[in-house]
Amino acid sequence: DLLYAPDAAQGYRIACKEEPSAIICDYFMPNGDALYLLSRLRTTHTTKNTPVFVLTGRRLDDPTRQNLMRDLCCLPGPTKIFRNTFDTFELFTALQQFCSFEGPHIEQSTA
């Protein structure tokens, strides 16, 4: 099942209530960015170990990327950061690897 939240604050509330297998979020969101969401998730017992995948359409500079990837409360930052593209192969591969997700078998685009 897929759940949707329009911003970081609501995403956090939904994650605490529903305890998802994985979270996919944009880096830039209303009411908090991915770092805000990660810090809230990692300090909450029910979500501290939930894999978080961050998508971004913008290139993150090195200090921003390092800040995002640092440990929070002795727990890792995001599981992986992806550039937001139309190719979902890499995202589905990561979900299968980290979450035992068995979605459709997708052939990697060669275009």
Side-chain angles (χ1 to χ4, degrees):
D1 292 337
L2 177 68
L3 303 171
Y4 168 79
D7 62 40
Q10 288 185 26
Y12 171 71
R13 287 192 293 274
I14 290 171
C16 290
K17 180 180 175 189
E18 300 294 332
E19 299 182 33
S21 299
I23 296 171
I24 301 170
C25 70
D26 196 351
Y27 181 82
F28 298 97
M29 297 177 280
N31 297 320
D33 60 16
L35 187 56
Y36 164 82
L37 180 59
L38 273 165
S39 64
R40 299 288 310 269
L41 293 169
R42 294 301 183 241
T43 57
T44 303
H45 178 72
T46 57
T47 59
K48 68 182 182 180
N49 293 311
T50 303
V52 177
F53 300 93
V54 177
L55 300 174
T56 181
R58 301 180 195 170
R59 182 165 164 38
L60 300 178
D61 60 26
D62 287 339
T64 302
R65 184 177 278 278
Q66 289 171 354
N67 193 32
L68 183 60
M69 293 302 293
R70 79 186 190 324
D71 286 356
L72 299 164
C73 302
C74 299
L75 293 165
T79 305
K80 192 157 181 154
I81 299 173
F82 295 97
R83 278 295 297 237
N84 195 1
T85 66
F86 294 110
D87 184 6
T88 58
F89 178 79
E90 190 176 6
L91 177 60
F92 280 118
T93 300
L95 286 170
Q96 288 171 336
Q97 178 182 359
F98 290 98
C99 306
S100 300
F101 172 76
E102 293 190 24
H105 294 285
I106 297 173
E107 295 296 323
Q108 185 171 11
S109 173
T110 58

